[in-house]
Amino acid sequence: MSDARVPILMYHAVATDPNDATRELSVTPEAFAEQMAVLADRGLQPLTTAGLAACWRSGRPLPERPVLITFDDGYEGVHRHALPVLAKHGFPATLFVSTGWLRGPYDTGGGLDTMLDWDQVRELAAGGVEIGGHSHSHPQLDQVSDATLRFELIHCKEIVSDQLGAVPASFAYPYGYSSRRVRQAVRETGYTQALAVGNDLARRAQGPYALRRVTVRRSTGAEEFERVIEGRAIARTFAGDRALTKGYAVVRRARRARRLVARSGG
């Protein structure tokens, strides 16, 4: 199944009453429980990000119906609401943490809603959730200087390693954006795979540092969720997201080029 197309589900907050900053990309606890029940009923077999990458790297076969469940940022509801549901089904998952957003000694105050603390992250890890990196302060990594980029990657990795006693192997790009420079820095920092967004199914041919995910949000209904996990009508489902992403990519490249010219005095 080297040409397998794997749905990697991207969640953020799981919350009954999220704030305005996280509402659109949140799901209710009831919706999350229903979606996990659908995966179980359809016989999908979740993997961690590291598990998928290891299969593709080694050539080992994937499960017959693979799927990944991932969470970005580190919202408290992942522990409160998602972990019991994952445990009920015996599902592994991956949580990508922005270390400066989590409650505790490294908190920079940038978290968008109630965030996890490190005891909760450790409980998630003990419950079969892979903990990956998501930068320290969640910047647009393709827009920052080389020094800031390396600080964001290395500081995040060091904090996770110190708090969990295990070096994170997987990374997810804040906002889903990367560039060749960012991907190279992620690889050099020691992460062995990284996830973008792209709103498409993941394929081995995308390479280990640009695996694509599909967004699950508050407006994702039951029919849309089933289409996504079955790999049907992906392009049509996310047509609006893809158009916005392509347009914004042009703006971002122009913005960075202007900054580089300004720095060089040109």
Side-chain angles (χ1 to χ4, degrees):
M1 291 182 63
S2 62
D3 59 345
R5 301 162 74 240
V6 180
I8 303 181
L9 307 175
M10 181 182 68
Y11 291 93
H12 287 77
V14 182
T16 299
D17 188 25
N19 63 14
D20 290 344
T22 60
R23 180 171 298 277
E24 184 181 346
L25 285 176
S26 70
V27 297
T28 65
E30 295 77 14
F32 182 77
E34 290 167 5
Q35 289 162 0
M36 295 303 100
V38 169
L39 297 184
D41 291 345
R42 296 294 179 87
L44 275 80
Q45 298 165 276
L47 298 165
T48 62
T49 302
L52 174 68
C55 285
W56 274 343
R57 192 174 290 113
S58 67
R60 290 200 309 269
L62 290 170
E64 186 175 343
R65 300 201 65 196
V67 65
L68 273 67
I69 304 158
T70 70
F71 303 90
D72 282 9
D73 302 343
Y75 298 100
E76 192 267 347
V78 175
H79 179 273
R80 179 188 301 269
H81 300 299
L83 180 58
V85 176
L86 296 170
K88 172 186 173 182
H89 294 289
F91 285 171
T94 308
L95 166 67
F96 296 100
V97 295
S98 294
T99 48
W101 283 14
L102 301 190
R103 289 181 289 150
Y106 309 102
D107 189 352
T108 63
L112 299 181
D113 206 333
T114 304
M115 309 304 292
L116 295 162
D117 63 31
W118 284 102
D119 284 342
Q120 292 171 321
V121 175
R122 282 187 280 272
E123 288 178 20
L124 284 157
V129 177
E130 176 192 358
I131 308 300
H134 197 44
S135 80
H136 184 59
S137 66
H138 203 282
Q140 298 175 9
L141 291 177
D142 61 338
Q143 301 293 303
V144 301
S145 69
D146 288 348
T148 299
L149 171 60
R150 295 194 180 280
F151 170 81
E152 287 286 337
L153 299 177
I154 293 169
H155 199 44
C156 175
K157 182 183 176 186
E158 289 177 343
I159 290 172
V160 172
S161 301
D162 179 63
Q163 290 293 315
L164 302 185
V167 179
S170 305
F171 188 83
Y173 305 108
Y175 305 101
Y177 297 110
S178 69
S179 63
R180 183 177 299 176
R181 178 181 71 109
V182 171
R183 292 189 291 274
Q184 177 72 10
V186 167
R187 186 182 71 79
E188 290 174 354
T189 303
Y191 294 102
T192 52
Q193 52 274 332
L195 301 183
V197 181
N199 284 308
D200 199 358
L201 301 180
R203 299 172 175 82
R204 187 180 186 182
Q206 290 162 1
Y209 293 96
L211 295 173
R212 295 181 180 178
R213 296 187 284 175
V214 288
T215 306
V216 185
R217 46 170 70 95
R218 212 164 187 85
S219 61
T220 301
E223 289 185 8
E224 179 181 325
F225 185 79
E226 293 193 16
R227 284 200 306 271
V228 166
I229 64 171
E230 297 288 344
R232 292 185 286 110
I234 297 291
R236 186 170 76 243
T237 299
F238 293 104
D241 296 86
R242 289 179 173 184
L244 285 171
T245 298
K246 286 181 179 177
Y248 197 37
V250 173
V251 172
R252 293 163 69 81
R253 282 195 295 270
R255 195 179 291 161
R256 175 161 172 77
R258 284 197 298 272
R259 273 206 294 271
L260 291 173
V261 168
R263 278 184 206 150
S264 66

